[in-house]
Amino acid sequence: MNVLDLARAEIRALQPYSSARMEAAGGRLMLNANESAWAPVGDTGHASNRYPEPQPAALLDALALLYGVRREQLLVGRGSDEAIDLLVRAFCRAGEDAVLVQPPTFGMYAVCARIQGAGVVEVPLGEGFALDVDAVLAALTPAVKLVFVCRPNNPAGRDVLRADIERLAAALAGRALLVVDEAYVEFADEGSVADLIDRHDNLAVLRTLSKAWALAGVRVGALLADAGVVALLRRIMPPYPLPQPCVDAALVALSGWGQANVRLRVAVVRKQREAMRAALARLPGVREVLPSQANFLAVRFADADAAMARLLAAGIVVRDVRRHPRLGDALRITIGTPEENRRVLVALKSPQARRPRAASAVPGGAA
């Protein structure tokens, strides 16, 4: 069974929109897209009066080299969030199909499914927030078309063994597409599983430039998958997903000196992560600091309200993850600069601050 047999038949048969830029190969005088002939005031060489390439060739080349895949196995878009949405729309029929997630996990998987009218099957992570492959397979039904695995996990921080990904991909062959979200993999000890795509056509990997590459405001992400899956998603993708200034910023970050800078910053984050874990564990009122392979720490407090109040009183905002299963006493703290991390520790040692009013839970959860 080909992985595309799992996709919606109407999407496979869809005649995609053909944008003016897609039909402009080899042109020099562009009069086919009803664009302005003049650049806007303040344009700094981005050619902002022209539509950008739907899939910018230079960016595809740079990311394909970085991730070790072929260009036809790569789709770029607005962060990995767009790829999640495209996958759900392409593979899940409203009212019939479903996705499978392992809470606690990134909330957008379920949000995109519910927007599409697809079901959500929840299989909680196992002991120590480890992926439970047996439980996932036991819960699988014919309705499940996508299985999302977040590695390292957000918000708990634990990584997933490569052997577990391989076992799950093999077991899901012909049954579901395995989507591995590697938003934080640059901070982990084990590298990407993208090299497994050639062996498993039902494996897709999500990557982003938002975290380690410091481009959260630029919104560039990638889906790495079988060429047939990439081609299918291009059928339903908006014609111009990435603004040219965002593409230009990404190319600078992916340059030789940009990559060297990222390696240095990731090393600092990893070192600070371990230092913060040890320092937080010594603080009164801290029950546990969960092991993390990401750029954050999930911290259990005896009184999370009081901890949040101390931090807010110092002007420090962390993520309240208490709505997630088995994290009812936890706050998620991003690893910042050494000075920012010092301020967190000072704030948590400060005298009791006035507790903030309880905030309503935000559905889904953020990056």
Side-chain angles (χ1 to χ4, degrees):
M1 185 178 184
N2 186 283
V3 65
L4 295 182
D5 293 332
L6 298 168
R8 292 166 54 193
E10 62 271 30
I11 299 299
R12 298 200 305 268
L14 179 71
Q15 179 65 39
Y17 173 73
S18 181
S19 70
R21 190 59 70 241
M22 291 169 67
E23 299 174 352
R28 288 188 298 240
L29 177 58
M30 310 295 276
L31 300 177
N32 67 331
N34 301 333
E35 302 154 319
S36 171
W38 299 274
V41 173
D43 185 78
T44 55
H46 297 298
S48 299
N49 57 313
R50 301 296 182 185
Y51 287 110
E53 293 180 79
Q55 292 288 287
L59 183 58
L60 285 178
D61 287 339
L63 290 175
L65 181 63
L66 178 69
Y67 297 143
V69 298
R70 298 185 298 278
R71 275 184 59 169
E72 62 268 23
Q73 296 174 311
L74 175 66
L75 183 78
V76 294
R78 292 165 290 192
S80 51
D81 293 335
E82 182 167 32
I84 294 168
D85 183 53
L86 291 171
L87 285 165
V88 173
R89 286 194 282 136
F91 282 85
C92 294
R93 296 164 296 175
E96 296 184 45
D97 295 323
V99 305
L100 188 150
V101 300
Q102 301 102 51
T105 194
F106 183 44
M108 283 305 296
Y109 314 140
V111 167
C112 288
R114 290 181 174 123
I115 290 172
Q116 174 65 11
V120 179
V121 177
E122 295 188 348
V123 180
L125 291 172
E127 183 70 25
F129 300 101
L131 173 66
D132 188 337
V133 176
D134 291 329
V136 169
L137 295 176
L140 200 69
T141 70
V144 173
K145 295 298 187 294
L146 301 172
V147 175
F148 285 97
V149 172
C150 188
R151 67 162 299 257
N153 173 267
N154 174 22
R158 179 162 179 163
D159 202 0
V160 177
L161 296 175
R162 179 186 179 89
D164 286 340
I165 296 297
E166 290 188 271
R167 182 184 166 208
L168 196 51
L172 294 176
R175 305 169 70 188
L177 181 69
L178 175 60
V179 185
V180 179
D181 188 347
E182 294 187 337
Y184 300 95
V185 76
E186 289 92 346
F187 303 102
D189 293 337
E190 287 198 25
S192 174
V193 297
D195 61 295
L196 299 177
I197 290 171
D198 283 332
R199 287 156 48 188
H200 302 280
D201 70 351
N202 66 321
L203 174 64
V205 176
L206 301 174
R207 299 296 296 267
T208 182
L209 299 185
S210 293
K211 310 299 182 183
W213 294 86
L215 292 178
V218 170
R219 308 303 301 128
V220 174
L223 172 79
L224 318 178
D226 178 82
V229 173
V230 169
L232 181 73
L233 297 191
R234 287 198 64 177
R235 290 172 174 267
I236 61 173
M237 193 176 203
Y240 307 112
L242 292 178
Q244 190 61 47
C246 297
V247 174
D248 293 341
L251 290 172
V252 171
L254 293 165
S255 66
W257 65 273
Q259 293 194 37
N261 179 67
V262 167
R263 288 192 291 271
L264 289 173
R265 294 290 168 82
V266 167
V268 171
V269 169
R270 285 167 58 90
K271 184 176 180 179
Q272 284 290 303
R273 180 181 68 199
E274 297 313 307
M276 280 291 284
R277 184 184 178 196
L280 286 164
R282 292 192 295 266
L283 293 181
V286 171
R287 287 176 172 161
E288 182 184 13
V289 183
L290 297 182
S292 175
Q293 287 283 294
N295 67 335
F296 58 80
L297 293 167
V299 186
R300 297 189 186 279
F301 290 92
D303 188 340
D305 280 336
M308 180 72 85
R310 288 186 174 97
L311 291 165
L312 288 175
I316 299 168
V317 180
V318 299
R319 187 69 163 167
D320 189 342
V321 295
R322 287 177 287 175
R323 64 185 173 279
H324 288 280
R326 294 155 54 198
L327 291 173
D329 57 355
L331 304 177
R332 192 192 70 189
I333 303 174
T334 302
I335 302 301
T337 65
E339 171 58 21
E340 289 170 340
N341 298 332
R342 185 195 67 80
R343 288 174 56 192
V344 169
L345 296 173
V346 169
L348 288 172
K349 294 175 185 175
S350 67
Q352 175 86 30
R354 183 170 169 232
R355 294 190 183 191
R357 292 182 181 178
S360 59
V362 179

